[in-house]
Amino acid sequence: MCFQKFVNFVRKCVINVVDLFRMGNKGVKNKNTKPYTFKIYSYQKVEPNNKLSKRIPLPRSGHRIVCDTKNLYSFGGYNPSMLMNDELRNHDEVSVHAFPLFQELWKFNFASRKWVRFSSRESLPQELASNAVIRHGNVLMVYGGTGSPFGYRCSNQLYVCRLPNENTAMKEIITEGNIPLAQYGQALVYHNDYLYTIGGTTGFTYTCDIHRLNMKTFIWEAVYICQGQGDYEPEGRYRHEVAFDGQNIYVLGGGTAEDAFGFKEIPVFNIEKRQWYKQKTFKDHTCVDSTHSGFPPERRYHSAVQIDCDNAVKVFISGGYNGVQIFRDLWCLNLKTYKWTLIKTYTLPYPTYFHSAAVTPEGKMYIFGGIFEHGDIERNNLVHCAWLCIPKLSEMCWEALLHYNQQIVNCPKNKLIDAGLPRHFIQRLE
C-alpha cells in the first residue's frame, strides 16, 4: 500500500468512528479544524487540559521523566526563581520545606492531557535534582541525586514506587555490599535483575565507575572502578546519557563543570567481559558544512532515548549545553552501523538544556521542562512530543480519534466498548 493510500485509509477509519460519537454528542463542536496528519520527526506542543487538571507542574530543570504507554511521569526538579507565594497561598508546607527543589512526582495522561500530582510527597527523597531515574515494568526507580546547594548533600539510596496509582508511596530500598559513593548525575541500566549505575559526581570529583545492584538480594558490587590504567577508560563525568543494546553500555556525552565530551568516539562497556573500549562513530556527510562537522557537538545536560527500529537500536539525543552554546538539535545514532544522522526536519522550539526526555513503548518521544533560551534564560513547564518511528496503523487511528473528538475522554467506557474501540486503547483513558 502506497503512503497516500495508507493515509486515506487511516482517515476513513477515523471518520467512521468519529461519526458514532457525533451522533451522541450533537451539541459538541469540534475545535480542531485542521485535518489530522501523521509526521515523523516533527515536534508538537502538547497543551495540558486545564479543565481536568487541578494544578500543573511549575517550570523546572534538573528533573527526570519516564513514559509508559499512557502516561508521562516527572520526578523532582529545581527552580531557584520560583515565586514562593504561589505555593504558600495553598499552605503547602512540603513545597516550602523543599524550596528551591520540587519534592514532587507528577503523572501526565497522554489521552486526557491531565496532570495529577502524587499525594504521598513526604515519602519522596530530599535529593531531588539530577537523579538517575528508570522505569522497569510498572516500577519507577529513583537513584542518587543531590539537594541544594548542589554537591553538599548527595545520595546513594534507591527508592521505588508502583505506577500508575497516584496514591502510592515511594519506598526506600535498604541495600548492602559495596555501596557506591553518594553522587548525582549518574545514569542507569536495568538488565537481568541487575541495576547498573554509571558515573556521576560528588560535586567535587567525577567518576565513570560502574556498580550494580542485585534486585533480588539488594546487594551492591563494584563491576569496574576506573583507575587510569589506559586510554580505553573514560574520563569521569556527570549528566551524561547511556544507551544499551543487551550487551554493551554506550556512554553519550556528559562532562564536568568545565568540560563537555563529544561523540566521535564513544566509551563502551561490555557487561559480560567487564571491559571498556572506545567505539569510533561515523559522520553524517549530508550535513558537513561551515557549521556542522557531521557529528553532534560536544555537550552535557542533554537528553537521550532509544528505540528498536529497522532491526537496529537507534539512539536519539536532543538539546544540551557545552558551556557556551545551548542546543536545539536532534541526532540519531544507529548502534548497528555506528553512523550519526542529523534529523534536519526536527528542532526543539528553543535551545534547551537540563530538560528531560523519554519515549513510549510505541516510539513517541516526550520532552518536558528544562532551561531554555528565548531572549532571556528561563525555565519552562512545556511538553513537546515527536514520533521517532512509523507506528502501527491502530496508533495513528487512536491519535486521529483524539484529535477530532477530544470529548472521548469524558465518554463512559461501556459506550466506547460498544462503539468497537479496542479495550487496550480504552485503558489509556484516565
Side-chain angles (χ1 to χ4, degrees), residues 66-171:
V66 299
C67 290
D68 57 23
T69 292
K70 62 181 181 179
N71 296 310
L72 174 155
Y73 304 90
S74 175
F75 173 86
Y78 170 74
N79 190 343
S81 60
M82 177 181 65
L83 295 177
M84 281 292 293
N85 57 354
D86 286 349
E87 291 287 353
L88 285 173
R89 289 195 188 102
N90 298 324
H91 306 288
D92 192 334
E93 295 183 2
V94 176
S95 295
V96 173
H97 179 72
F99 178 83
L101 300 164
F102 294 98
Q103 195 169 359
E104 299 175 340
L105 176 61
W106 288 86
K107 178 175 70 175
F108 180 75
N109 182 257
F110 301 135
S112 66
R113 295 175 287 111
K114 175 184 176 181
W115 279 107
V116 176
R117 189 169 65 182
F118 277 56
S119 59
S120 301
R121 298 168 62 198
E122 294 83 354
S123 67
L124 273 62
Q126 295 184 354
E127 295 80 20
L128 297 158
S130 291
N131 309 81
V133 177
I134 198 170
R135 180 185 67 86
H136 178 67
N138 65 341
V139 177
L140 177 72
M141 303 180 187
V142 177
Y143 177 74
T146 183
S148 181
F150 298 150
Y152 287 91
R153 187 179 73 208
C154 300
S155 173
N156 56 2
Q157 297 165 301
L158 174 67
Y159 289 80
V160 299
C161 178
R162 291 281 178 180
L163 304 173
N165 184 358
E166 63 267 20
N167 296 315
T168 188
M170 190 163 277
K171 178 183 178 182

Side-chain angles (χ1 to χ4, degrees), residues 1 12 41 53 57 128 162 175 229 248 283 326 335 417:
M1 183 182 295
K12 183 177 179 181
Y41 305 139
S53 306
L128 297 158
R162 291 281 178 180
T175 62
Q229 296 179 352
N248 301 294
K283 67 174 66 176
I326 306 173
L335 293 185
I417 293 172

Side-chain angles (χ1 to χ4, degrees), residues 114-351:
K114 175 184 176 181
W115 279 107
V116 176
R117 189 169 65 182
F118 277 56
S119 59
S120 301
R121 298 168 62 198
E122 294 83 354
S123 67
L124 273 62
Q126 295 184 354
E127 295 80 20
L128 297 158
S130 291
N131 309 81
V133 177
I134 198 170
R135 180 185 67 86
H136 178 67
N138 65 341
V139 177
L140 177 72
M141 303 180 187
V142 177
Y143 177 74
T146 183
S148 181
F150 298 150
Y152 287 91
R153 187 179 73 208
C154 300
S155 173
N156 56 2
Q157 297 165 301
L158 174 67
Y159 289 80
V160 299
C161 178
R162 291 281 178 180
L163 304 173
N165 184 358
E166 63 267 20
N167 296 315
T168 188
M170 190 163 277
K171 178 183 178 182
E172 180 184 354
I173 301 298
I174 305 302
T175 62
E176 300 176 342
N178 195 345
I179 301 175
L181 290 173
Q183 294 180 312
Y184 63 99
Q186 310 97 321
L188 294 178
V189 166
Y190 191 97
H191 180 65
N192 286 348
D193 295 321
Y194 283 99
L195 182 67
Y196 291 81
T197 176
I198 305 101
T201 181
T202 62
F204 306 96
T205 60
Y206 301 85
T207 75
C208 211
D209 300 337
I210 296 182
H211 291 75
R212 71 177 186 180
L213 176 65
N214 187 315
M215 293 301 293
K216 292 182 177 179
T217 64
F218 299 122
I219 296 177
W220 282 102
E221 66 173 302
V223 177
Y224 193 105
I225 304 299
C226 293
Q227 298 176 338
Q229 296 179 352
D231 291 340
Y232 55 87
E233 288 188 353
E235 298 178 71
R237 66 193 66 198
Y238 89 124
R239 290 303 308 227
H240 48 290
E241 297 290 336
V242 296
F244 183 61
D245 64 5
Q247 295 180 324
N248 301 294
I249 298 172
Y250 300 81
V251 180
L252 302 165
T256 65
E258 294 82 23
D259 301 316
F261 297 115
F263 303 90
K264 293 182 180 180
E265 284 189 337
I266 295 176
V268 182
F269 185 78
N270 184 282
I271 61 173
E272 297 296 330
K273 297 179 181 179
R274 298 194 176 194
Q275 293 179 353
W276 282 104
Y277 67 93
K278 290 187 177 180
Q279 176 62 54
K280 180 182 177 180
T281 64
F282 302 94
K283 67 174 66 176
D284 181 353
H285 289 280
T286 67
C287 67
V288 177
D289 54 32
S290 59
T291 58
H292 289 96
S293 67
F295 297 97
E298 298 87 350
R299 68 190 69 191
R300 55 188 187 267
Y301 318 145
H302 53 293
S303 65
V305 301
Q306 70 176 62
I307 61 172
D308 293 327
C309 183
D310 301 327
N311 297 317
V313 176
K314 294 185 178 180
V315 187
F316 296 83
I317 69 167
S318 185
Y321 180 58
N322 65 3
V324 177
Q325 183 179 359
I326 306 173
F327 299 100
R328 61 187 299 184
D329 50 3
L330 178 69
W331 289 82
C332 175
L333 175 65
N334 186 317
L335 293 185
K336 189 175 182 179
T337 62
Y338 301 115
K339 182 183 178 185
W340 285 104
T341 301
L342 174 64
I343 310 299
K344 302 180 182 66
T345 59
Y346 177 100
T347 58
L348 291 169
Y350 307 109

Side-chain angles (χ1 to χ4, degrees), residues 6-19 397:
F6 178 75
V7 171
N8 292 337
F9 178 66
V10 172
R11 288 179 177 172
K12 183 177 179 181
C13 292
V14 171
I15 290 171
N16 289 340
V17 177
V18 170
D19 285 343
C397 290

